[in-house]
Short mmCIF file of all heavy atoms in Angstrom, two decimals:
data_model
loop_
_atom_site.label_atom_id
_atom_site.label_comp_id
_atom_site.label_asym_id
_atom_site.label_seq_id
_atom_site.Cartn_x
_atom_site.Cartn_y
_atom_site.Cartn_z
N MET A 1 98.60 67.09 109.34
CA MET A 1 99.56 67.02 108.23
C MET A 1 98.90 66.42 106.99
O MET A 1 99.04 66.94 105.90
CB MET A 1 100.75 66.16 108.66
CG MET A 1 102.03 66.56 107.95
SD MET A 1 102.43 68.31 108.16
CE MET A 1 103.24 68.64 106.62
N PHE A 3 95.85 66.53 106.41
CA PHE A 3 94.90 67.55 105.99
C PHE A 3 95.58 68.55 105.05
O PHE A 3 95.07 68.88 103.99
CB PHE A 3 94.34 68.25 107.24
CG PHE A 3 93.35 69.33 106.93
CD1 PHE A 3 92.24 69.07 106.13
CD2 PHE A 3 93.53 70.60 107.45
CE1 PHE A 3 91.31 70.07 105.86
CE2 PHE A 3 92.61 71.60 107.17
CZ PHE A 3 91.50 71.33 106.37
N SER A 9 97.03 69.01 97.46
CA SER A 9 96.75 68.22 96.27
C SER A 9 95.57 68.82 95.51
O SER A 9 95.61 68.97 94.30
CB SER A 9 96.44 66.77 96.65
OG SER A 9 97.45 66.29 97.49
N LEU A 15 94.88 74.58 90.33
CA LEU A 15 95.85 75.37 89.58
C LEU A 15 95.95 74.89 88.14
O LEU A 15 96.00 75.68 87.21
CB LEU A 15 97.23 75.28 90.22
CG LEU A 15 97.51 76.23 91.37
CD1 LEU A 15 98.95 76.09 91.80
CD2 LEU A 15 97.20 77.66 90.97
N SER A 23 96.51 85.95 84.24
CA SER A 23 97.48 85.76 85.31
C SER A 23 97.02 86.44 86.60
O SER A 23 97.40 86.04 87.67
CB SER A 23 98.85 86.27 84.90
OG SER A 23 98.81 87.67 84.80
N ASN A 61 101.64 94.53 96.84
CA ASN A 61 101.42 94.47 95.39
C ASN A 61 102.41 95.34 94.64
O ASN A 61 102.94 94.95 93.60
CB ASN A 61 99.99 94.89 95.05
CG ASN A 61 99.04 93.71 95.06
OD1 ASN A 61 99.35 92.66 94.49
ND2 ASN A 61 97.92 93.85 95.73
N ALA A 64 105.77 93.63 94.69
CA ALA A 64 105.76 92.48 93.78
C ALA A 64 105.87 92.95 92.32
O ALA A 64 106.57 92.34 91.51
CB ALA A 64 104.50 91.65 93.99
N SER A 69 110.06 91.87 87.21
CA SER A 69 110.99 91.73 86.09
C SER A 69 112.28 91.03 86.49
O SER A 69 113.10 90.69 85.63
CB SER A 69 111.29 93.10 85.50
OG SER A 69 111.73 93.95 86.53
N LEU A 82 120.94 95.91 107.91
CA LEU A 82 120.54 96.87 108.93
C LEU A 82 120.71 98.31 108.45
O LEU A 82 121.76 98.68 107.92
CB LEU A 82 121.40 96.64 110.17
CG LEU A 82 121.20 97.62 111.32
CD1 LEU A 82 119.78 97.56 111.84
CD2 LEU A 82 122.18 97.31 112.42
N GLY A 83 119.68 99.09 108.65
CA GLY A 83 119.79 100.52 108.37
C GLY A 83 119.57 100.90 106.92
O GLY A 83 119.68 102.06 106.58
N GLU A 90 112.67 103.02 94.18
CA GLU A 90 111.71 104.02 94.64
C GLU A 90 110.76 103.49 95.70
O GLU A 90 109.54 103.67 95.62
CB GLU A 90 110.95 104.59 93.45
CG GLU A 90 111.89 105.17 92.39
CD GLU A 90 111.19 106.07 91.42
OE1 GLU A 90 110.18 105.63 90.84
OE2 GLU A 90 111.65 107.21 91.24
N GLY A 97 102.47 105.93 97.38
CA GLY A 97 101.39 105.51 96.49
C GLY A 97 100.30 104.74 97.22
O GLY A 97 99.17 104.65 96.75
N THR A 105 105.51 102.11 109.60
CA THR A 105 105.99 100.85 109.02
C THR A 105 107.15 100.27 109.81
O THR A 105 107.64 99.19 109.49
CB THR A 105 106.50 101.06 107.57
OG1 THR A 105 107.67 101.88 107.62
CG2 THR A 105 105.44 101.70 106.70
N LEU A 124 104.53 77.98 100.45
CA LEU A 124 104.22 77.80 101.88
C LEU A 124 105.41 77.21 102.64
O LEU A 124 105.69 77.63 103.76
CB LEU A 124 102.98 76.92 102.07
CG LEU A 124 102.50 76.86 103.52
CD1 LEU A 124 102.06 78.24 104.02
CD2 LEU A 124 101.38 75.86 103.70
N SER A 125 106.11 76.29 102.00
CA SER A 125 107.24 75.71 102.73
C SER A 125 108.32 76.75 102.95
O SER A 125 109.00 76.76 103.97
CB SER A 125 107.78 74.46 102.03
OG SER A 125 108.34 74.80 100.79
N PRO A 130 112.21 78.54 109.39
CA PRO A 130 112.35 79.34 110.62
C PRO A 130 112.56 80.83 110.39
O PRO A 130 112.00 81.64 111.11
CB PRO A 130 113.58 78.71 111.29
CG PRO A 130 113.58 77.30 110.80
CD PRO A 130 113.07 77.36 109.39
N LYS A 137 104.66 83.43 113.54
CA LYS A 137 104.32 82.91 114.87
C LYS A 137 104.21 84.00 115.92
O LYS A 137 103.88 83.74 117.06
CB LYS A 137 105.46 81.98 115.35
CG LYS A 137 105.49 80.63 114.72
CD LYS A 137 106.69 79.89 115.30
CE LYS A 137 106.94 78.57 114.63
NZ LYS A 137 108.26 78.02 114.99
N GLY A 147 100.75 90.32 98.15
CA GLY A 147 100.76 90.71 96.75
C GLY A 147 101.60 89.74 95.96
O GLY A 147 102.51 89.11 96.51
N ASP A 150 103.86 87.30 88.78
CA ASP A 150 104.70 86.26 88.19
C ASP A 150 105.21 85.29 89.26
O ASP A 150 104.43 84.66 89.92
CB ASP A 150 105.86 86.88 87.42
CG ASP A 150 105.40 87.46 86.09
OD1 ASP A 150 104.19 87.38 85.81
OD2 ASP A 150 106.23 87.98 85.35
N SER A 158 101.68 93.43 109.50
CA SER A 158 101.53 94.67 110.25
C SER A 158 101.13 94.37 111.69
O SER A 158 100.64 93.28 112.00
CB SER A 158 100.48 95.56 109.57
OG SER A 158 99.23 94.91 109.52
N THR A 161 99.75 98.47 116.30
CA THR A 161 100.25 99.66 116.97
C THR A 161 100.58 100.72 115.94
O THR A 161 100.74 100.41 114.76
CB THR A 161 101.54 99.33 117.75
OG1 THR A 161 102.50 98.83 116.83
CG2 THR A 161 101.27 98.30 118.83
N LEU A 182 114.32 99.27 113.24
CA LEU A 182 114.88 99.08 111.91
C LEU A 182 115.39 97.65 111.74
O LEU A 182 115.25 97.06 110.68
CB LEU A 182 116.02 100.08 111.66
CG LEU A 182 115.54 101.52 111.45
CD1 LEU A 182 116.72 102.47 111.41
CD2 LEU A 182 114.73 101.64 110.17
N VAL A 184 114.10 95.06 113.08
CA VAL A 184 112.93 94.23 112.85
C VAL A 184 112.46 94.36 111.41
O VAL A 184 112.20 93.38 110.73
CB VAL A 184 111.79 94.61 113.82
CG1 VAL A 184 110.52 93.85 113.48
CG2 VAL A 184 112.21 94.34 115.26
N LEU A 185 112.39 95.61 110.94
CA LEU A 185 111.89 95.81 109.58
C LEU A 185 112.82 95.21 108.54
O LEU A 185 112.40 94.48 107.66
CB LEU A 185 111.70 97.30 109.31
CG LEU A 185 111.31 97.65 107.87
CD1 LEU A 185 109.99 96.98 107.50
CD2 LEU A 185 111.19 99.15 107.67
#
Side-chain angles (χ1 to χ4, degrees):
M1 209 55 212
F3 180 54
S9 309
L15 276 185
S23 69
N61 270 313
S69 54
L82 176 61
E90 304 197 307
T105 66
L124 188 63
S125 66
K137 284 179 187 167
D150 285 1
S158 61
T161 59
L182 288 172
V184 174
L185 174 60

